[in-house]
Amino acid sequence: MRDFWQNIQRMLQQPGQGLLKIIVLNCAIFIFLMLFRLISIFSGHSAAYDGLLESLTLSSDFTHVLQAPWSLITYFFVHVELFHLAFNMMFLYWFGMILQEVIGNNKSVRVYFSGGITGAIAFFLAYNLIPYFVNRGDAYLLGASAGVYAIVVAAATLRPNYEVHLFLLGFVRIKYIAAFYMLWSLLETVGANAGGNIAHLGGALCGFCLGYWFEHPITWRW
């Protein structure tokens, strides 16, 4: 156990490990929230956990966003389900390493944050402008999926024919993996997690635009 924590510490101290640090931070916040939840419940103050979670997640209500503007960033570091966290972090690692080989660490980190913020904007606009979502009432957004989708689609945009090995399927080009998850999210925009899937699509669009821009940088001529 001591060696494990020493390895984590060494990794955090190394430059150029931004995506791995994001993964560690997501995991650390998840553990903290779960421990805080247990303590709150056992101490008879479960409302404390609910209040903390509400302040960290992104609300579709404009007033709440004004009161907690940091939620535009903190929401994509918050998970309350283990499988949600595991799925996001595995995809962030797999596709993040592919992307990092192409554009480097700093730009990969920027893709993650840009995707998270773009996903937040897409979620907020949908729940305030599209009648179908407005009628569903206030919603809350959490999880790293928008940033992860940006990483996945940016990697697929820059290296569409890069192959990864999938269990039972063999080697699959990442452009097909990205296309599958984008289609899945599009179909699920009318499901129970509509807000989350809208954020996925916003992050994916951001990832595509950034990936295209990295490969075809705009040069201004006067």
Side-chain angles (χ1 to χ4, degrees), residues 26 46 57 63 74 96 114 119 137 154 158 164 170 187 192 196-197 209 213:
N26 270 279
S46 58
T57 54
T63 302
T74 57
S114 299
L158 290 166
V164 296
L187 296 176
N197 284 286
C209 292
W213 179 59

Side-chain angles (χ1 to χ4, degrees), residues 10-216:
R10 289 194 204 99
M11 183 200 71
L12 293 175
Q13 291 173 346
Q14 292 178 0
Q17 297 294 335
L19 292 179
L20 290 177
K21 292 175 183 177
I22 288 172
I23 292 172
V24 170
L25 181 58
N26 270 279
C27 293
I29 291 175
F30 173 77
I31 293 171
F32 168 77
L33 286 174
M34 294 304 98
L35 290 175
F36 187 80
R37 180 171 180 264
L38 285 175
I39 294 171
S40 299
I41 291 173
F42 290 143
S43 64
H45 297 87
S46 58
Y49 169 78
D50 295 334
L52 175 62
L53 192 63
E54 184 176 331
S55 70
L56 296 176
T57 54
L58 181 66
S59 171
S60 60
D61 180 63
F62 184 67
T63 302
H64 184 275
V65 176
L66 288 179
Q67 294 173 343
W70 57 83
S71 61
L72 286 165
I73 302 293
T74 57
Y75 92 87
F76 53 84
F77 287 94
V78 174
H79 299 80
V80 294
E81 296 177 358
L82 180 59
F83 287 109
H84 187 201
L85 172 72
F87 180 87
N88 277 337
M89 295 306 101
M90 285 190 295
F91 266 69
L92 178 57
Y93 178 78
W94 292 333
F95 285 86
M97 293 303 102
I98 297 171
L99 185 63
Q100 190 168 285
E101 290 179 2
V102 182
I103 63 175
N105 172 75
N106 291 338
K107 288 183 179 178
S108 297
V109 171
R110 271 183 259 161
V111 170
Y112 175 80
F113 276 87
S114 299
I117 294 172
T118 305
I121 294 171
F123 163 79
F124 188 78
L125 291 177
Y127 271 80
N128 285 275
L129 297 178
I130 301 176
Y132 173 79
F133 298 109
V134 173
N135 294 334
R136 296 180 68 149
D138 293 342
Y140 285 87
L141 183 66
L142 58 84
S145 300
V148 173
Y149 267 65
I151 292 284
V152 170
V153 174
T157 301
L158 290 166
R159 291 294 182 270
N161 295 319
Y162 189 100
E163 293 183 333
V164 296
H165 187 271
L166 298 181
F167 181 65
L168 297 179
L169 295 178
F171 287 95
V172 180
R173 293 178 180 179
I174 60 174
K175 64 182 179 182
Y176 298 128
I177 299 175
F180 171 78
Y181 281 107
M182 288 177 63
L183 178 60
W184 184 13
S185 289
L186 179 63
L187 296 176
E188 287 295 314
T189 53
V190 293
N193 185 31
N197 284 286
I198 290 169
H200 297 172
L201 294 174
L205 177 61
C206 177
F208 171 76
C209 292
L210 289 176
Y212 185 86
W213 179 59
F214 289 141
E215 194 164 39
H216 305 87

